[in-house]
Amino acid sequence: MTAAARPHIAVVTGVAGSGKSTLAATLARSLGWDLLEGDDLHPPANIAKMAAGHALTDADRAPWLAAVAAWMSAEFAAGRSAVVTCSALKRSYRDVLRRSLVGHPDAVLTILQLIGSRQQLADRLAARTGHFMPAALLDSQLHTLEPPGPDEPVVPLEIGPPPAEMAAAALAALRAHS
């Protein structure tokens, strides 16, 4: 499957260390879709704040979420399918991303939320190098995280299986939502 009949965006969400980038890159490569690492759209002030060990506020996240949603809307408008990473910790953040569908009635949006235990996430963060997000902010992300409500169309994926199994589950979910 290299292209969807309708433009389709898969948003890979989850807290730091959940494997968003790894899964998103695998999906984009497998599907031949565009890829956006959502962190690339953070304003420099947000990156500096996180790198200094300070959690972002809703006000800090607002321009970043708007930028991610604008990118998604542009992909939809161009008729392209894509994969994007975005922590999207709260329902209100996911709602901002869902608004990218406005004006694109044929577009499809699938939110894949990576879920793991605090210990799994902490172990992954401890092993990660070269990222601005320090492991010390994990608890603030878990505190901010709002599980999807029963009315939210979110596909949960446990982070325990090997990456190939997670990618297969994600691909199956995307095909089911096409």
Side-chain angles (χ1 to χ4, degrees):
M1 174 155 111
T2 58
R6 306 181 294 165
H8 189 155
I9 292 184
V11 182
V12 182
T13 69
V15 300
S18 60
K20 295 182 297 290
S21 297
T22 300
L23 180 60
T26 300
L27 293 175
R29 192 171 39 256
S30 295
L31 296 165
W33 292 1
D34 292 345
L35 172 65
L36 171 67
E37 179 62 50
D39 283 346
D40 291 346
L41 297 183
H42 267 299
N46 283 7
I47 293 172
K49 187 173 183 176
M50 288 183 282
H54 302 288
L56 297 180
T57 65
D58 286 354
D60 295 327
R61 287 185 181 100
W64 169 63
L65 290 164
V68 173
W71 184 87
M72 292 168 56
S73 184
E75 289 290 292
F76 285 142
R80 292 188 297 259
S81 294
V83 181
V84 60
T85 64
C86 179
S87 55
L89 299 173
K90 290 183 177 182
R91 181 189 186 114
S92 61
Y93 304 166
R94 294 185 294 271
D95 288 345
V96 169
L97 301 180
R98 282 188 197 95
R99 285 196 283 279
S100 68
L101 287 164
V102 172
H104 310 290
D106 294 331
V108 178
L109 175 65
T110 303
I111 297 177
L112 304 167
Q113 185 176 48
L114 303 183
I115 301 167
S117 72
R118 187 198 180 287
Q119 189 61 54
Q120 285 174 303
L121 297 162
D123 290 347
R124 287 176 171 212
L125 287 172
R128 184 165 78 172
T129 59
H131 196 279
F132 62 84
M133 180 75 164
L137 289 179
L138 175 59
D139 287 330
S140 73
Q141 286 214 322
L142 289 171
H143 177 74
T144 302
L145 181 64
E146 292 177 359
D151 62 326
E152 273 191 278
V154 174
V155 177
L157 295 171
E158 292 290 331
I159 65 171
E165 285 181 35
M166 288 186 61
L171 285 167
L174 293 175
R175 287 185 181 110
H177 289 100
S178 289

